[in-house]
Amino acid sequence: MSSPNTVSSTVSLTLDLPPSCIQFCPAHPDYFVVGTYNLQREETATQLNTDEEGEEDTKTSKTPQSRNGTLLVFKIEGTELTLVQTVSQPSAILDLRFHSAPDKQDILAVVSSTGSLAVFRMAPNTLPSSPLQHLATSRCDDIEEDVLFLQCNWHPVVPNVIGVTTSTGTARLLHLDDKYCIIGPSVDLAIANSLEAWCINFSPASALTQESDPQGTVYCGGDDSMLRYTSCTLAISNEDMSCESPFLPITVRGQHSAGVTAILPLPVFLKGRGRVVVTGSYDDHLRVFLIHDLHETYGQKRVELVLEENLGGGVWRLDLVKVQEKDSSLRIRILASCMHAGARLVDLEVEGENDWACKILAQFEEHKSMNYGSDFVRGGDGDSLQCVSTSFYDKLLCVWEYKGSEGK
């Protein structure tokens, strides 16, 4: 692995609450949303009681901890950063994701510490001072309020289905109505974790994938250090949703030495159509697997680990920047949020489908605590990239830039 290039911030500010997640809006690429997570401390209450004989007795009790949060809407223009809107939330924010469908990229899903799903629309053109508009908040009837939704991801083909993971290890598909409320029974996938399920993702849609027959692969990772995946074909009728899994789910054991915290399946296939799947873990490593979809192998497990690199900190989040394929070479650029080590911009490269390498292009280390969220401005010039990263306990938000090969 090459020597990293340390970059400095162009803008740095301290937020009121700890930031847990961030994403730019695809429909309005100069706007991004930050979710915050605030754990209120236990408070001790003193009560003075008098018994029948007039003796006083003092008792103390602790009120239970509670969590809340905010959604912060920022606008970025060059190096100028403006906080446009603050939306208070009754629960702490664990994750947020804009919709991937081309006609719904202004729709934002937000999951919380009380197992709720809130949906918003970003509309800066009509509401410039308060662009993030609440559409719906709903919960699953069978989930207790002390269960956290940890991550979410929209289904790449069926626009009213979203996947979530929970603090009890569940990987679940939620069916939403036309008002973005949860309807009907949810589907629990057979890839549940034995501990917290940190991440869920879907194989990207291909030109052959149809909404009427949405067959694909769902991946889940969690605190038991295992990566699980299954083939899933959705069937939706009115309020009913079912998931047909014709093959047994697969568990990948022994490849991660700590919890699996990020999964990034790519629309890239090598070695007889093995899909490139990148994972992150608490063990500080980024890994690249070639995993064959089960519906392509008739249920056979075909998994190959082709690269693992230590990034210096727990790899909490992976965001794809771009994929470049040329002749027999492949280059995958990823922005990684690496917890206590800060943010990394990396290139994964392979020549002739065999010789994999990882190159760190930029390393941002001004964060003094956990970097849980990073994202980047789309549509930049040339090879340069403007990034925004956050850190939790120091409540820091920073803007920094990778100048690209032409800027060196």
Side-chain angles (χ1 to χ4, degrees):
M1 187 164 56
S2 64
S3 300
N5 301 309
T6 302
V7 296
S8 300
S9 62
T10 55
V11 179
S12 178
L13 57 89
T14 301
L15 306 177
D16 292 334
L17 296 177
S20 57
C21 47
I22 177 177
Q23 194 173 39
F24 275 86
C25 178
H28 306 282
D30 49 348
Y31 286 83
F32 65 89
V33 180
V34 176
T36 68
Y37 183 110
N38 181 43
L39 179 61
Q40 295 178 319
R41 296 179 180 178
E42 289 183 340
E43 296 181 356
T44 301
T46 302
Q47 183 176 359
L48 184 65
N49 297 320
T50 304
D51 60 21
E52 294 178 355
E53 298 179 359
E55 297 292 330
E56 293 184 345
D57 178 32
T58 301
K59 294 182 178 181
T60 60
S61 62
K62 290 185 177 180
T63 59
Q65 289 182 326
S66 62
R67 303 177 180 94
N68 57 30
T70 54
L71 295 169
L72 308 176
V73 181
F74 286 91
K75 183 177 183 180
I76 186 168
E77 296 176 282
T79 59
E80 184 177 344
L81 193 63
T82 304
L83 176 59
V84 177
Q85 182 184 9
T86 299
V87 182
S88 297
Q89 293 292 284
S91 307
I93 308 303
L94 273 297
D95 194 22
L96 52 82
R97 305 277 172 162
F98 278 99
H99 211 298
S100 57
D103 61 339
K104 296 181 182 295
Q105 292 184 345
D106 58 346
I107 299 298
L108 178 69
V110 178
V111 293
S112 80
S113 60
T114 55
S116 66
L117 171 71
V119 181
F120 297 80
R121 173 176 280 113
M122 181 73 81
N125 295 335
T126 55
L127 298 162
S129 62
S130 54
L132 194 64
Q133 295 297 303
H134 178 255
L135 299 179
T137 298
S138 54
R139 303 186 74 260
C140 298
D141 294 336
D142 60 337
I143 290 184
E144 301 294 331
E145 285 200 9
D146 60 348
V147 175
L148 285 67
F149 278 171
L150 299 179
Q151 195 183 81
C152 63
N153 257 308
W154 292 99
H155 193 281
V157 179
V158 185
N160 59 339
V161 171
I162 189 169
V164 298
T165 58
T166 74
S167 55
T168 55
T170 303
R172 170 173 286 205
L173 301 183
L174 307 179
H175 182 203
L176 310 183
D177 62 18
D178 56 1
K179 296 181 179 178
Y180 296 101
C181 290
I182 299 170
I183 56 169
S186 302
V187 173
D188 286 341
L189 301 171
I191 49 174
N193 212 266
S194 60
L195 299 169
E196 292 93 341
W198 292 120
C199 49
I200 186 170
N201 214 338
F202 300 91
S203 57
S206 69
L208 300 177
T209 308
Q210 302 292 327
E211 186 175 344
S212 58
D213 184 24
Q215 186 179 55
T217 301
V218 191
Y219 307 82
C220 181
D223 221 38
D224 64 3
S225 308
M226 298 181 196
L227 170 67
R228 295 173 172 85
Y229 65 97
T230 187
S231 181
C232 176
T233 301
L234 284 178
I236 296 178
S237 175
N238 297 321
E239 294 187 4
D240 296 325
M241 176 178 66
S242 63
C243 178
E244 180 183 349
S245 299
F247 311 108
L248 293 176
I250 300 296
T251 300
V252 180
R253 296 180 172 88
Q255 302 293 345
H256 303 86
S257 57
V260 180
T261 49
I263 305 171
L264 182 62
L266 300 176
V268 178
F269 296 86
L270 296 176
K271 291 188 176 180
R273 296 196 63 77
R275 183 187 298 278
V276 177
V277 179
V278 187
T279 67
S281 172
Y282 278 134
D283 65 12
D284 298 355
H285 283 74
L286 174 150
R287 292 176 174 84
V288 179
F289 294 89
L290 300 183
I291 301 179
H292 292 250
D293 293 336
L294 291 177
H295 51 272
E296 298 287 345
T297 64
Y298 300 98
Q300 286 188 322
K301 179 181 179 180
R302 297 183 63 183
V303 178
E304 181 184 359
L305 175 63
V306 295
L307 176 70
E308 53 183 335
E309 288 290 345
N310 190 324
L311 296 185
V315 184
W316 182 257
R317 183 162 175 166
L318 299 167
D319 289 286
L320 178 65
V321 178
K322 62 181 176 181
V323 175
Q324 293 176 302
E325 295 183 81
K326 185 178 181 181
D327 300 327
S328 61
S329 66
L330 170 68
R331 180 180 298 169
I332 302 166
R333 184 160 297 176
I334 290 174
L335 179 62
S337 301
C338 298
M339 299 181 70
H340 66 271
R344 303 282 190 271
L345 183 65
V346 303
D347 268 356
L348 307 177
E349 300 175 326
V350 60
E351 294 285 345
E353 298 191 351
N354 293 311
D355 300 322
W356 283 85
C358 178
K359 178 181 180 181
I360 293 185
L361 303 176
Q363 176 172 296
F364 184 76
E365 295 187 317
E366 292 180 20
H367 295 297
K368 303 305 179 185
S369 70
M370 299 297 189
N371 168 220
Y372 287 130
S374 308
D375 205 358
F376 60 94
V377 178
R378 273 67 174 175
D381 296 330
D383 201 39
S384 63
L385 194 71
Q386 189 178 32
C387 302
V388 181
S389 56
T390 63
S391 45
F392 193 77
Y393 296 108
D394 56 357
K395 308 172 190 175
L396 199 62
L397 183 148
C398 298
V399 181
W400 50 276
E401 186 173 1
Y402 167 65
K403 296 293 187 181
S405 55
E406 69 274 10
K408 296 179 181 179

